[in-house]
Amino acid sequence: MIEISGLTRYYGDLCALDHISLVIEKGNILGLLGPNGAGKTTALRIITGYLSPTSGTVTAKGISVEEHPLEIKKMIGYLPESAPLYQDMLVYDYLNYIADIRRISPDGREGHIRTLADICGLNEVMHRSIHELSKGYKQRVGLAHAMMGDPEILVLDEPTSGLDPNQIVEIRDIIKKIGREKTVIVSTHILSEVEATCDRVVIINEGVIVADGSTEELKRSSESEYSLNLSLKGVALDDVKNLLAPVQGISGIEETGTDDGTHLFRVRCHTPEDIREQVYNAIKQKDWTLLEFGRESKSLEKIFRELTKEN
Amino acid sequence: MVVPSNVSFIFKREFKVYFISPIAYIVISIFVGIAGWLFFSTFFLFNQAELRDFFSLLPIIFCFIIPAVTMRLFAEEFNVGSYEILATLPVTFTDIVLGKFLASLAFIVIMIVPTLSYAISVSLMGDLDWGPVVGGYIGAVLLGGAFSSIGIFASSLTKNQIIAFITGMIICFALTLIDKVLFFLPGRLLGVFQYIGADYHFQNIARGIIDSRDVVYFLSVMFIALYAAHFSIQEKK
């Protein structure tokens, strides 16, 4: 549906996007994840035709954004970051204006605007001026704006920012519902949002894709990397290292603290297999006093932090 | 049935916005007040039933007023960020520039309509020659169009409305006064600068003689300035 190839964008000397390539299928919700300044918004702006890439191409249904911007803009509903709407218009007038430009026929227009108002919870504010609205309501108007005319592709830049927890759940449900039939790209830096709504996650950092897959895949790939936390009484680090040297899959052992003769160790493992049993049996043979023994898997948050931490 | 174009939707929105805030009414009042005061303060001294003085003042007044009318058209959108929404809707850059230009031109026409009352008052006092008056109003619309396209170009350069206003004003002033301050230039060169000057062409039309050269001049200024604005927003990509 959307094909991004070798997308690069410079702002002066600053490289915001560095040869990004992606294929996004129809009926998919793609979460674009990354820290602030990673290049998420730049990527979305190029996809929607607001910015031109320095090099690379974006096509939707085989149509190039650069060559046929009007055709692409008809296909895409876009909610920019923090919904910069026309402050001086009434909500209804604003949606009507967008309906004009999106060429919604007068027959079905009222019904369509009403449906969007229902979905986005705008019925109470339809005749209020946009500048009077709270941030959450502005965000909802922005969402209704993006959905006007049922575009095939929806690009949402941080759609839930500024919403209260109930609204966040509502908006996520809407996104999930839309995502069944359409292509949705959501940018966010909220991890729980990606877990709750997206089929696929692309993590970008400093303009480069550092991870790409479903949330399950990302977690599974991290399952081969975990650590075992041991708490042993009166045992030195070197003894532990010697003891566990024959065990396969250990990438490192470090002491993380001591407490009244009790030493805390972290055994970093890099293997898809669970080596807890081997480690336990080795300790049992030495007859050391084992006070604590636990496995720590990586959360999505930890994966995100590791992938995007500054070099 | 004529299908309304994107230009008409953008025009309608921009035109309505002028009248949502009190600024439009303030601008119109200031214009009508200043133009009326400057005109009538010397009108009775000459005791002639004509509007020549009013039209000779108009270019200078337009230099202040029109950049103030157009300054927000792009600068405000850039500043608030709504331009991102406009630019990602299925409209072309030409639709955007033309829609905004026609809205400002329509506002200027509405702004000068109340001054028709000066012409009517004068015609009641004496025998008014309507030829130069009609010419003057046609010239005013052409001049208003030229200056508002310059103002739109200035607004497309920046997100700061004050900078847009000052830039627009300087260009309008330069076009109005260029043939007056260059009196020390040799005669042949002066002719060239006179042709560039907006006031020269406006005063020709305001005499009641509509020469195609003057009309072409104003249309060219509009085309060049709007094209420059188009180029300026396209470059922002």
Side-chain angles (χ1 to χ4, degrees):
Chain A
M1 183 70 180
I2 301 179
E3 209 174 323
I4 297 167
S5 138
L7 206 62
T8 304
R9 167 79 195 201
Y10 278 87
Y11 293 108
D13 287 338
L14 183 83
C15 181
L17 283 181
D18 191 6
H19 293 91
I20 283 195
S21 295
L22 267 179
V23 176
I24 307 161
E25 299 298 334
K26 191 182 172 182
N28 240 307
I29 304 178
L30 177 94
L32 205 57
L33 204 63
N36 293 327
K40 303 187 292 282
T41 299
T42 303
L44 298 188
R45 283 178 170 171
I46 294 174
I47 294 169
T48 53
Y50 179 65
L51 287 179
S52 294
T54 308
S55 66
T57 55
V58 179
T59 58
K61 288 171 92 178
I63 304 168
S64 160
V65 173
E66 280 299 292
E67 284 164 27
H68 304 282
L70 216 53
E71 296 305 308
I72 296 290
K73 286 171 185 176
K74 280 179 190 162
M75 266 190 245
I76 296 182
Y78 175 42
L79 166 67
E81 196 176 352
S82 68
L85 312 164
Y86 287 122
Q87 303 290 318
D88 39 34
M89 292 177 97
L90 302 180
V91 174
Y92 177 80
D93 288 349
Y94 178 76
L95 293 178
N96 208 22
Y97 169 63
I98 303 298
D100 273 337
I101 289 182
R102 291 229 172 250
R103 304 296 161 112
I104 316 263
S105 73
D107 307 333
R109 177 178 298 198
E110 282 300 318
H112 186 51
I113 292 179
R114 213 171 301 139
T115 310
L116 290 178
D118 282 338
I119 293 173
C120 300
L122 291 171
N123 286 316
E124 296 154 31
V125 297
M126 286 302 267
H127 295 284
R128 278 176 55 187
S129 177
I130 291 175
H131 75 87
E132 292 172 6
L133 301 181
S134 68
K135 199 177 173 198
Y137 269 115
K138 280 182 190 158
Q139 202 72 19
R140 291 178 193 211
V141 178
L143 204 63
H145 147 98
M147 291 197 287
M148 182 65 74
D150 283 326
E152 292 168 66
I153 302 164
L154 218 54
V155 178
L156 310 171
D157 199 351
E158 311 214 348
T160 56
S161 77
L163 301 181
D164 67 41
N166 293 331
Q167 293 169 338
I168 289 177
V169 173
E170 284 171 29
I171 298 287
R172 282 179 190 166
D173 287 343
I174 297 168
I175 294 171
K176 267 196 271 186
K177 213 192 293 176
I178 303 165
R180 279 182 219 136
E181 297 148 25
K182 300 178 192 298
T183 311
V184 183
I185 307 175
V186 183
S187 104
T188 180
H189 54 251
I190 305 163
L191 292 147
S192 55
E193 186 148 301
V194 172
E195 279 190 289
T197 51
C198 300
D199 307 309
R200 180 174 162 203
V201 190
V202 168
I203 302 181
I204 58 173
N205 187 41
E206 293 175 353
V208 182
I209 295 179
V210 288
D212 181 0
S214 67
T215 45
E216 282 78 32
E217 274 170 359
L218 283 185
K219 279 186 172 170
R220 215 177 302 135
S221 71
S222 75
E223 270 169 17
S224 61
E225 263 184 71
Y226 58 92
S227 52
L228 301 176
N229 294 326
L230 301 175
S231 175
L232 293 162
K233 204 164 183 178
V235 181
L237 177 63
D238 286 343
D239 297 333
V240 180
K241 279 185 176 170
N242 289 336
L243 177 75
L244 297 180
V247 180
Q248 295 288 311
I250 292 178
S251 57
I253 302 172
E254 64 207 39
E255 191 169 341
T256 54
T258 51
D259 181 21
D260 197 19
T262 306
H263 298 259
L264 306 170
F265 301 100
R266 178 176 294 139
V267 180
R268 278 186 277 112
C269 309
H270 193 96
T271 168
E273 283 161 37
D274 191 350
I275 58 166
R276 278 180 295 184
E277 204 174 332
Q278 289 153 271
V279 172
Y280 174 71
N281 286 335
I283 293 168
K284 201 168 73 177
Q285 277 171 16
K286 281 281 186 185
D287 208 17
W288 288 343
T289 309
L290 178 63
L291 296 174
E292 275 175 52
F293 186 35
R295 173 180 161 143
E296 192 186 317
S297 293
K298 279 189 197 166
S299 62
L300 196 58
E301 248 162 75
K302 199 157 185 182
I303 302 167
F304 176 76
R305 272 213 306 278
E306 279 181 13
L307 288 170
T308 61
K309 70 185 167 197
E310 280 176 38
N311 297 325
Chain B
M1 196 183 94
V2 181
V3 181
S5 68
N6 288 331
V7 175
S8 75
F9 299 135
I10 294 170
F11 162 76
K12 263 194 273 177
R13 194 206 93 80
E14 295 293 345
F15 186 66
K16 263 194 212 166
V17 168
Y18 273 121
F19 294 94
I20 286 174
S21 74
I23 294 170
Y25 303 100
I26 295 171
V27 168
I28 293 176
S29 310
I30 290 175
F31 170 71
V32 174
I34 289 182
W37 176 65
L38 288 174
F39 170 55
F40 282 109
S41 62
T42 57
F43 174 71
F44 294 102
L45 295 177
F46 298 105
N47 216 18
Q48 278 183 333
E50 59 176 25
L51 263 79
R52 194 190 287 170
D53 274 358
F54 168 67
F55 288 119
S56 69
L57 288 168
L58 208 56
I60 295 289
I61 300 173
F62 270 9
C63 284
F64 288 103
I65 295 280
I66 291 178
V69 169
T70 56
M71 65 183 183
R72 50 158 275 275
L73 287 170
F74 278 107
E76 189 185 32
E77 294 228 31
F78 294 150
N79 192 32
V80 176
S82 55
Y83 180 69
E84 188 169 352
I85 283 189
L86 182 61
T88 50
L89 285 171
V91 294
T92 62
F93 290 125
T94 310
D95 294 337
I96 297 174
V97 171
L98 280 183
K100 285 176 184 280
F101 166 69
L102 292 175
S104 65
L105 184 59
F107 180 83
I108 290 159
V109 169
I110 290 201
M111 188 175 78
I112 51 180
V113 163
T115 65
L116 285 171
S117 62
Y118 306 160
I120 294 164
S121 320
V122 171
S123 75
L124 294 175
M125 286 182 239
D127 190 17
L128 178 69
D129 181 1
W130 282 95
V133 176
V134 172
Y137 277 104
I138 291 171
V141 172
L142 288 170
L143 183 71
F147 281 8
S148 75
S149 56
I150 289 168
I152 285 171
F153 164 64
S155 185
S156 74
L157 298 174
T158 172
K159 58 164 84 172
N160 185 324
Q161 291 192 46
I162 304 296
I163 293 174
F165 170 68
I166 293 170
T167 311
M169 195 177 67
I170 289 172
I171 302 173
C172 292
F173 255 119
L175 274 189
T176 306
L177 301 177
I178 196 162
D179 58 330
K180 295 185 179 56
V181 293
L182 296 169
F183 53 86
F184 50 83
L185 281 176
R188 209 177 289 165
L189 217 55
L190 184 65
V192 174
F193 280 103
Q194 208 168 36
Y195 193 80
I196 298 170
D199 191 40
Y200 166 75
H201 294 279
F202 174 70
Q203 299 308 340
N204 279 351
I205 298 178
R207 269 187 222 119
I209 310 150
I210 296 165
D211 189 330
S212 61
R213 273 175 300 183
D214 302 319
V215 177
V216 165
Y217 166 80
F218 284 116
L219 294 179
S220 314
V221 172
M222 286 180 226
F223 177 78
I224 292 167
L226 293 178
Y227 189 79
H230 184 285
F231 181 75
S232 160
I233 57 170
Q234 202 170 19
E235 275 303 290
K236 288 205 164 26
K237 279 187 90 179

